[in-house]
């Protein structure tokens, strides 16, 4: 009897030790009410039962052990458990993973059925986050009977393929949760469309919301960050007779974790987690701006995010309804000025640096050169445009479109080397060239006159101002308006020579670095980037305004640095970063109580009241958003980033601009559409911000 008890105790101890590993055998179970879980060997991922948010239902899922609120895979997402009596085990009859409820009824299985009980089947949670089922007696231990990576939910992990497996018939794609508390299948999907050339397509039901553009051998033509030689992420697209897929992995020399998640609002987010951190950061999200929205400018339209207006017709096209176009109803799109036919002589105009049109009615020839592609399109009466399908060295492949062109946008950054050639009649091309020559000539004449006048004015100025040379020099230095001037060497030393490790964030002005002066004072250094669309005007604007403003709910400007081409603003360092770090993630939002949130709202309102009514100058901020609200060590809010602010003088109550700047989602309708802004514009932005704080949801 004692030997039996000793054997039982030994068997129980072995079972407990086994559960500390990453493997589940056919003699073990993971039981919900026992709080048993399975961890990967390096304790990166954990498998077990959970209830999301305020849900009363139970699900079997996988999460990051360091950030357990981030669920990356759910087994029974459409068939939850109603109580805490779920059990995961390996079926001896079918050699598959099964999830049983309290009545021992199977509510989910791995669908990896195979006959016989002689196999040594185990389930293993890998450090990649992949739950696999394999036969330990098999010669190839890496050949899985089943794996969770073949059945993704809303998250793509590094090494997980999205796309088709022709042998098994699997189509791997992401499906959003129904809500933050309900992991059942929502209305949004993100999948690889592999007809012709792979591209990522985000859809709500059958309606396309966003697409990455076609893979051109280096990147997806519509997403600048997704390149095969990215410094932080390695992207792979493979097409062969067995499978067509896309995957992404962090570069080997970088120490961070990355994931791609399709959230319940239909936003695709690439998130990263640095080593030893518990806070995820958003690297990018799509759709992010209007031009990301599928077909935003209608058929045969082209979207230019920095354009005024943002939408235009492609060259050789005109709005189908000018009246609709004038009121920004772009759904009807554009039509050809001269319809295609077989009797007209044609040529092509090049539109450089674009996201190629969607592949609706097209033809692909991977072996054709660009010259052969042009000739082929000319010979075909229905061909409306062509492009190179592969922009790598050798530049081969031919894409031809027939009928309408949809979802074309222009990029204004380096590396946008995807060109589209649009077919137009020879007469249209000639008139276009004549118009361009006239425009160029006009610019040259006007430029010459202006240059001559400027030279004359400069000569006169030099004659008049020569005695005051020293005074002028002092005025140039006085660009910082009585603010302390910091030396470039001092700022460089404080930021460790502007080390990437010191970057706090990147905005429209440029990167912001954390620095430590020799006095021990912590500072935030906002450095104007050479690639920034903002420049000296915004720099001087921010200096002019903040130097004259003093309020506890406005960020304090300590000084500036003007040396050579460098333009830098030196601010007080605020350790709690910006408000968006706290309100848009469930874990971090719980760190702020309702009392804190109320105080933050009141603080922002006081700062706005000062700008609009209490300061000597009435100032309209024009870019009030969560990212521009900084928090000090006491969580006191401080409004920052005055580069786009405007001063109202005298009885001025509102004004109009053709250059609409700011952040979409926070702009008032009259400002976004007609360029009209006033105090009310900031109040509208404050209202949006207030709703975001209360709901925890991004607009």
């Amino acid at each position: 009897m004692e030997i039996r008890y000793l054997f039982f105790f030994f068997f129980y101890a072995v079972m407990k030790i086994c559960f500390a590993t990453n493997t589940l055998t056919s003699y073990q179970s993971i039981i919900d009410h026992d709080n048993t879980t399975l961890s990967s060997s390096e304790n990166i991922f954990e498998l077990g039962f959970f209830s999301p948010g305020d849900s009363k239902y139970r699900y079997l899922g996988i999460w990051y052990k360091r950030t357990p609120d981030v669920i990356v895979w759910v087994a029974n997402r459409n068939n939850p458990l109603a109580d805490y009596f779920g059990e995961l085990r390996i079926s001896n009859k079918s050699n598959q993973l099964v999830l049983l409820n309290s009545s021992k009824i199977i509510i989910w299985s791995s669908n990896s059925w195979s006959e016989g009980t002689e196999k040594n089947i185990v389930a293993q949670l890998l450090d990649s986050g992949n739950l696999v089922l394999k036969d330990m007696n098999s010669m190839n231990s890496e050949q899985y009977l089943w794996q969770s990576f073949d059945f993704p939910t809303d998250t793509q992990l590094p090494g997980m393929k999205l796309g088709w497996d022709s042998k098994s018939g699997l189509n791997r794609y992401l499906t959003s949760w129904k809500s933050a508390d309900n992991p059942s299948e929502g209305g949004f999907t993100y999948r690889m469309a592999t007809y012709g050339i792979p591209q990522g397509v985000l859809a709500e039901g059958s309606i396309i919301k966003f697409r990455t553009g076609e893979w051109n051998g280096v990147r997806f033509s519509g997403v600048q960050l997704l390149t095969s030689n990215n410094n932080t992420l390695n992207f792979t697209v493979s097409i062969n007779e067995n499978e067509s897929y896309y995957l992404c992995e962090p570069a080997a020399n970088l120490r961070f974790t990355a994931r791609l998640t399709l959230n319940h609002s239909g936003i695709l987010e690439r998130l990263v987690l640095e080593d030893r951190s518990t806070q995820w950061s958003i690297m990018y999200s799509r759709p992010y701006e209007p031009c990301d929205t599928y077909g935003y400018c209608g058929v045969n339209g082209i979207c230019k995010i920095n354009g005024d207006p943002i939408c235009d017709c492609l060259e050789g096209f005109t709005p189908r309804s000018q009246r609709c176009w004038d009121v920004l109803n772009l759904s009807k799109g554009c039509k050809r000025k001269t319809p295609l036919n077989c009797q007209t002589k044609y040529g092509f105009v090049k539109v450089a640096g674009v996201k190629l049109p969607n592949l609706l009615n097209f033809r692909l020839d991977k072996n054709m050169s660009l010259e052969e592609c042009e000739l082929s399109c000319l010979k075909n009466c229905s061909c409306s445009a062509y492009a190179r399908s592969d922009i790598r060295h050798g530049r081969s492949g031919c894409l031809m479109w027939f009928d309408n062109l949809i979802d074309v946008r222009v990029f204004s950054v380096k590396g946008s080397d995807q060109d589209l050639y649009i077919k137009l009649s020879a007469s249209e091309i000639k008139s276009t060239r004549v118009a361009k020559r006239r425009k160029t000539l006009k610019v040259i004449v006007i430029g010459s006159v202006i240059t001559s006048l400027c030279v004359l004015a400069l000569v006169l100025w030099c004659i008049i101002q020569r005695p005051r040379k020293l005074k002028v020099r002092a005025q140039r230095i006085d660009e910082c308006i009585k603010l302390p001037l910091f030396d470039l060497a001092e700022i460089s030393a404080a930021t460790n020579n502007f080390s990437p490790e010191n970057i706090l964030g990147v905005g429209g002005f440029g990167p912001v670095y954390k620095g430590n002066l020799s006095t021990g004072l912590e500072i935030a250094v906002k450095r104007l980037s050479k690639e920034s669309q903002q420049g000296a005007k915004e720099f001087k604007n921010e200096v002019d305004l903040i130097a004259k403003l003093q309020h506890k709910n406005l960020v304090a400007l300590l000084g500036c640095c003007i040396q050579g081409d460098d333009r830098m603003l030196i601010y007080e360092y605020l350790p709690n970063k910006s408000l968006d770090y706290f309100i848009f993630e469930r874990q971090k939002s719980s760190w702020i109580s309702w009392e804190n949130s109320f105080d933050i709202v009141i603080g922002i309102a006081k700062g706005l009241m000062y700008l609009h009514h209490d300061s000597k100058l009435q100032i309209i901020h024009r870019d009030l958003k969560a990212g521009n609200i900084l928090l000090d060590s006491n969580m006191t809010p401080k409004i920052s980033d005055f580069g786009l602010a405007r001063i109202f003088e005298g009885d001025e109550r509102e004004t109009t601009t053709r250059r609409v700047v700011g952040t979409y989602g926070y702009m008032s309708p009259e400002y976004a559409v007609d360029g009209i802004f006033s105090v009310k514009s900031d109040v509208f932005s404050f209202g949006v911000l207030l709703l975001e704080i209360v709901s925890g949801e991004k607009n």
Side-chain angles (χ1 to χ4, degrees), residues 204-222:
E204 183 177 13
S206 60
I207 301 172
I208 299 176
K209 294 294 184 180
F210 163 77
R211 66 183 188 95
T212 62
E214 300 81 351
W215 181 259
N216 58 26
V218 176
R219 60 177 173 85
F220 291 105
S221 69

Side-chain angles (χ1 to χ4, degrees), residues 198-372:
Q199 61 176 330
V201 176
L202 170 61
E204 183 177 13
S206 60
I207 301 172
I208 299 176
K209 294 294 184 180
F210 163 77
R211 66 183 188 95
T212 62
E214 300 81 351
W215 181 259
N216 58 26
V218 176
R219 60 177 173 85
F220 291 105
S221 69
V223 186
Q224 298 302 117
L225 289 172
L226 303 188
T227 61
S228 57
N229 56 354
N230 190 287
N231 293 328
T232 56
L233 299 170
N234 293 326
F235 296 90
T236 302
V237 172
S238 179
I239 309 173
N240 54 58
E241 58 182 10
N242 295 323
E243 56 183 350
S244 302
Y245 66 84
Y246 148 81
L247 61 82
C248 169
E249 296 179 292
N253 60 330
L254 297 178
R255 299 177 64 82
F256 68 81
T257 302
R259 61 184 169 96
L260 182 71
T261 297
L262 177 59
N263 68 31
H264 64 275
S265 300
I267 304 298
L268 200 64
E269 294 179 323
R270 174 75 62 184
L271 300 110
V272 295
L273 178 69
E274 296 181 4
D275 276 8
R276 296 182 296 278
S277 174
T278 58
Q279 296 184 2
W280 289 87
S281 301
I282 298 177
M283 178 180 285
Y284 61 83
S285 63
R286 296 291 185 277
Y288 175 71
E289 57 192 18
C291 287
D292 286 334
T293 303
Y294 180 74
Y296 184 76
C297 296
V299 295
N300 304 314
I302 184 166
C303 196
K304 305 173 183 177
I305 194 62
N306 296 319
D308 185 12
I310 192 173
C311 284
D312 201 356
C313 288
L314 289 165
E315 200 158 332
F317 293 79
T318 187
R320 290 182 187 272
S321 170
Q322 189 63 51
R323 197 172 91 179
C324 291
W325 194 268
D326 290 340
V327 295
L328 300 182
N329 181 358
L330 311 172
S331 59
K332 294 183 182 298
C334 305
K335 63 181 180 180
R336 280 186 175 271
K337 294 177 181 177
T338 306
L340 293 173
N341 59 67
C342 294
Q343 287 74 43
T344 306
K345 186 177 180 181
Y346 287 99
F348 295 92
V349 293
K350 183 173 82 169
V351 185
V354 298
K355 174 183 181 180
L356 295 181
N358 196 12
L359 302 177
L360 298 178
N361 189 359
F362 73 101
R363 182 182 302 165
L364 170 66
D365 190 325
K366 295 183 179 180
N367 300 314
M368 191 178 287
S369 68
L370 193 65
E371 292 74 18
E372 293 170 330

